């Protein structure tokens, strides 16, 4: 049985030290209203519309914990475009009694840069033995997920569904469960109702009014997809209707 001792319990924002809430990224509604965030001991999801600050906060959390801004483990040191915000400097954490033995920051936006670093360093053997650049984007993502994610790990994922088919996303849920049972913890930013469907988890929705905990069925992503597939013809009619 899994003993629920999360590596990360809480995160707080040091608001009193923020120089201005009128500049990026502090002007974003979700960041502007951010005080404290509690993490689920197994899986925490960040969901919401584009531009709400999900990836910005996820990136800041990863950097503050010691991960490379462009992805990888805490030991990876490369920089293709140093464009991350300063938000990580204003975050503090309440951690569990143990430290993770493994960890990985996987982000779709900079995965090409990560693959290049892996090739340059001759690290292909840790990703299944084949160059990530010699595989499709989806297969390279999957090889990373299957080979670099191990037990007792803290894993931060930014929009992993961008490279995965629906079938792979379902397989991803099974792999997440396997790793959760091996004392791992996940923080995932996603737009995919499939990816956010892991049952023993917490979904945090980012909106203009701030952040709130919600259920899968109450997310805009789920409602929109459900509406589309239940009444596809009607929705397409309104979307594609030609206006004179």
């Amino acid at each position: 049985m899994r003993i629920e001792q999360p590596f990360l319990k809480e995160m707080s924002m040091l608001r009193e030290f923020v120089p201005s809430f009128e500049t990026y990224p502090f002007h974003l509604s979700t960041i502007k209203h951010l005080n404290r965030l509690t993490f689920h001991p197994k899986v925490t999801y960040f969901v919401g519309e584009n531009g709400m600050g999900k990836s910005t906060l996820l990136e800041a959390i990863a950097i503050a914990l010691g991960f490379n801004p462009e992805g990888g483990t805490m030991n990876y040191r490369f920089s293709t475009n140093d464009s991350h915000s300063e938000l990580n400097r204003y975050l503090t954490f309440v951690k569990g009694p143990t430290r993770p033995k493994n960890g990985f920051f996987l982000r779709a936006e900079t995965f090409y840069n990560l693959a290049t670093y892996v090739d340059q360093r001759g690290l292909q053997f840790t990703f299944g033995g084949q160059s990530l650049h010699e595989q499709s984007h989806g297969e390279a993502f999957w090889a990373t997920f299957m080979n670099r994610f191990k037990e007792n790990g803290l894993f931060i994922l930014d929009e992993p569904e961008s490279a995965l088919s629906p079938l792979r996303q379902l397989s991803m849920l099974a792999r997440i469960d396997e790793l959760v049972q091996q004392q791992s913890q996940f923080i995932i930013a996603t737009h995919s109702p499939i990816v956010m469907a892991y049952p023993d988890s917490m979904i945090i929705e980012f909106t203009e009014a701030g952040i709130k905990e919600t259920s899968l069925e109450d997310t805009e992503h789920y409602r929109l997809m459900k509406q589309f597939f239940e009444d596809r013809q009607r929705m397409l009619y309104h979307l594609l209707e030609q206006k004179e």
Side-chain angles (χ1 to χ4, degrees):
M1 182 180 295
R2 186 183 194 277
I3 300 174
E4 295 191 3
Q5 290 290 348
F7 300 120
L8 283 184
K9 292 184 176 181
E10 294 180 2
M11 181 211 74
S12 297
M13 185 171 172
L14 302 173
R15 300 180 59 84
E16 64 273 22
F17 297 110
V18 173
S20 172
F21 282 97
E22 302 303 319
T23 59
Y24 178 83
F26 307 103
H27 74 290
L28 296 172
S29 296
T30 50
I31 306 300
K32 185 178 290 188
H33 295 96
L34 182 62
N35 284 293
R36 185 172 65 89
L37 192 64
T38 300
F39 297 103
H40 192 279
K42 297 179 180 179
V43 183
T44 303
Y45 291 107
F46 291 175
V47 306
E49 193 48 76
N50 292 331
M52 290 293 103
K54 303 182 306 299
S55 294
T56 300
L57 181 58
L58 193 78
E59 175 191 74
I61 291 171
I63 296 172
L65 293 173
F67 289 100
N68 186 62
E70 294 185 44
T73 72
M74 293 184 184
N75 296 321
Y76 282 28
R77 289 293 177 264
F78 67 94
S79 178
T80 306
N81 183 17
D82 189 11
S83 61
H84 63 274
S85 73
E86 297 183 349
L87 180 57
N88 59 288
R89 300 180 182 180
Y90 303 92
L91 303 181
T92 183
F93 300 91
V94 176
K95 300 180 180 180
T98 59
R99 297 183 62 183
K101 295 181 180 179
N102 295 291
F104 207 93
F105 178 29
L106 181 63
R107 59 186 311 184
E109 183 181 357
T110 56
F111 188 75
Y112 181 93
N113 304 338
L114 171 69
T116 300
Y117 176 82
V118 168
D119 275 3
Q120 291 174 343
R121 293 283 177 167
L123 299 174
Q124 299 93 330
F125 69 97
T126 66
F127 288 78
Q130 184 180 358
S131 168
L132 297 176
H133 280 309
E134 295 177 0
Q135 303 176 63
S136 71
H137 190 41
E139 287 302 304
F141 241 64
W142 189 249
T144 301
F145 190 58
M146 293 302 294
N147 293 287
R148 294 300 287 127
F149 286 46
K150 300 181 183 298
E151 70 279 358
N152 294 99
L154 174 61
F155 303 112
I156 302 176
L157 290 75
D158 188 16
E159 300 184 6
E161 72 278 4
S162 65
L164 301 179
S165 70
L167 179 60
R168 281 291 201 210
Q169 291 178 42
L170 289 169
S171 299
M172 181 181 176
L173 290 178
R175 177 61 173 159
I176 286 175
D177 184 61
E178 180 181 358
L179 290 165
V180 161
Q181 301 308 319
Q182 297 172 353
Q183 314 298 309
S184 293
Q185 185 179 15
F186 287 81
I187 307 172
I188 305 172
T190 182
H191 293 288
S192 169
I194 295 176
V195 172
M196 67 179 77
Y198 187 74
D200 200 354
S201 64
M202 177 169 61
I203 298 177
I204 299 174
E205 188 168 26
F206 287 57
T207 69
E208 287 288 353
I211 61 175
K212 64 178 181 178
E213 185 176 347
T214 189
S215 66
L216 172 63
E217 292 76 13
D218 288 331
T219 63
E220 183 65 26
H221 305 75
Y222 179 90
R223 293 199 303 268
L224 183 62
M225 294 299 290
K226 184 173 186 290
Q227 180 183 358
F228 179 80
F229 286 113
E230 287 184 346
D231 198 357
R232 174 168 52 91
Q233 295 300 332
R234 182 167 177 265
M235 182 174 283
L236 287 173
Y237 173 80
H238 289 291
L239 284 172
L240 306 179
E241 181 182 15
Q242 298 296 319
K243 304 293 185 181
E244 293 187 2

